[in-house]
Amino acid sequence: MNRRLLLSAIAAVSVAAVGLPAFAALKVGTRAPDFTLPGFKAGKPVTYSLAEARKKGPVVVYFFPAAFTGGCDLEAHLFAEAADDYAKAGASIIGVTAGSIERLQEFSSDNARCSGKFPVAADKGAKVAKLWDSTLPVGISNRTSYVIAPDGTVVYVHSEMNAQKHVELTLDAVRKWKAGKKG
């Protein structure tokens, strides 16, 4: 699929879905499938392992449709701005996309987007997104954010095409999870 057609499809689906919730199959309390994907952090190649990341604390896994598109740029920027708050709460962030993976290296270091604050992974063929039931009808990643506990349990899910609330809601869920562990 050429880039122009892909972006047109994303725009059409996004316009139709803005403000409407999407439905993720991974439910709170279920086990999230582990994955290992190639990606980039601050423009440098990385191999990201969810299992390894979980050993250090909770992980926010957010799926996004495509780099260098309006909502995805905003969402990445918001996650980058909040990266220190997630770290203070003991959590890490990973962005995963099946769309526009050719420019993911640039996206990972762009100061208007990820700013090198967290890795973004290339999910070629949306294989991981399908396992997590986070795909759009056009075969790319849906905008779905998960909070995954260190034991692999899904503790929070937010699936909505509007990028505005993903950071606020997942950070709140991480903090609530952490507070529940102290008691």
Side-chain angles (χ1 to χ4, degrees), residues 15-172:
V15 167
V18 167
L20 298 176
F23 298 98
L26 292 185
K27 305 293 183 211
V28 170
T30 63
R31 181 146 177 94
D34 279 324
F35 61 83
T36 300
L37 290 172
F40 298 93
K41 181 177 181 185
K44 294 180 174 54
V46 296
T47 299
Y48 182 88
S49 165
L50 178 60
E52 288 301 311
R54 288 190 298 99
K55 290 177 182 177
K56 299 171 189 160
V59 179
V60 174
V61 178
Y62 85 93
F63 290 90
F64 62 100
F68 295 106
T69 59
C72 298
D73 291 358
L74 172 64
E75 184 176 31
H77 179 77
L78 294 172
F79 271 111
E81 283 186 329
D84 290 341
D85 294 328
Y86 283 101
K88 286 176 191 167
S92 62
I93 306 163
I94 176 69
V96 180
T97 187
S100 68
I101 57 180
E102 301 81 24
R103 295 183 60 203
L104 208 51
Q105 182 174 15
E106 178 185 355
F107 187 76
S108 74
S109 61
D110 188 300
N111 285 332
R113 287 135 182 118
C114 301
S115 303
K117 300 276 187 161
F118 57 90
V120 286
D123 182 15
K124 190 171 184 175
K127 292 175 184 149
V128 172
K130 288 174 188 167
L131 283 175
W132 288 57
D133 199 23
S134 295
T135 58
L136 292 171
V138 292
I140 59 172
S141 312
N142 192 359
R143 187 174 321 285
T144 305
S145 299
Y146 296 92
V147 176
I148 309 302
D151 69 359
T153 303
V154 176
V155 297
Y156 182 78
V157 181
H158 180 69
S159 190
E160 181 180 0
M161 285 307 290
N162 185 329
Q164 292 289 334
K165 294 284 188 176
H166 285 260
V167 170
E168 174 187 337
L169 295 173
T170 57
L171 184 55
D172 184 57

